[in-house]
Amino acid sequence: MDFANFFANYGLIILLIGLLIFMFYSSRRRMQKQKLEQEEKARQTVPGSEVLLQGGLYGTIVEYDGEDLDKPAHVEIAPGVVIRVHSQAVLRVVNPAEGYVTEDEFIEAEESEAEYIAGVADGDITSISDDHRAARQAEVERDDKDRPQA
């Protein structure tokens, strides 16, 4: 059996199998990309974030549960006007909230605080309040030395 005869008999099947593999691979990559985008949107969708809803309305998130998407999101569209929308109606975050601490940042801050407290306890680090107290004590002692003795 030569190559031309083999390709004539099995070429279409090989081509279809190749297309199926390509379609499976590309759809899997697209799904992974969409999942990452959804996770990023959920991280940014915090109270105070300005969002665009699917209906074209802009608003500010008042309450949003990124873990339970069945709970409605509360969005303020005007001062004092809060509406409840399906949590997946949030199309995208326009302006992420500034100054709002995410869960990851909170956990990181707790870890660094624990290290700081351990350093203060060991005497490796002095706290700001200890520094202020020591400075005031030194100032009082200086003032006492400068006063005339009675």
Side-chain angles (χ1 to χ4, degrees), residues 20-35:
L20 285 174
I21 291 171
F22 174 75
M23 287 173 50
F24 176 75
Y25 175 74
S26 64
S27 69
R28 187 167 172 90
R29 283 189 60 213
R30 187 175 55 247
M31 287 180 8
Q32 288 175 343
K33 184 178 176 184
Q34 286 176 344
K35 183 178 179 184

Side-chain angles (χ1 to χ4, degrees), residues 64-111:
Y64 181 84
D65 187 0
E67 299 295 321
D68 185 8
L69 296 178
D70 290 333
K71 289 184 180 178
H74 295 160
V75 180
E76 184 177 39
I77 57 173
V81 179
V82 178
I83 60 172
R84 291 176 47 195
V85 298
H86 192 278
S87 59
Q88 292 178 338
V90 175
L91 187 60
R92 65 183 165 98
V93 177
V94 178
N95 287 329
E98 292 183 20
Y100 187 81
V101 179
T102 64
E103 185 177 353
D104 294 337
E105 293 170 338
F106 182 76
I107 291 170
E108 184 178 316
E110 280 185 331
E111 291 171 356

Side-chain angles (χ1 to χ4, degrees), residues 33-45:
K33 184 178 176 184
Q34 286 176 344
K35 183 178 179 184
L36 289 175
E37 288 173 355
Q38 286 175 345
E39 289 173 357
E40 181 63 26
K41 183 177 85 170
R43 264 195 304 281
Q44 290 180 348
T45 308

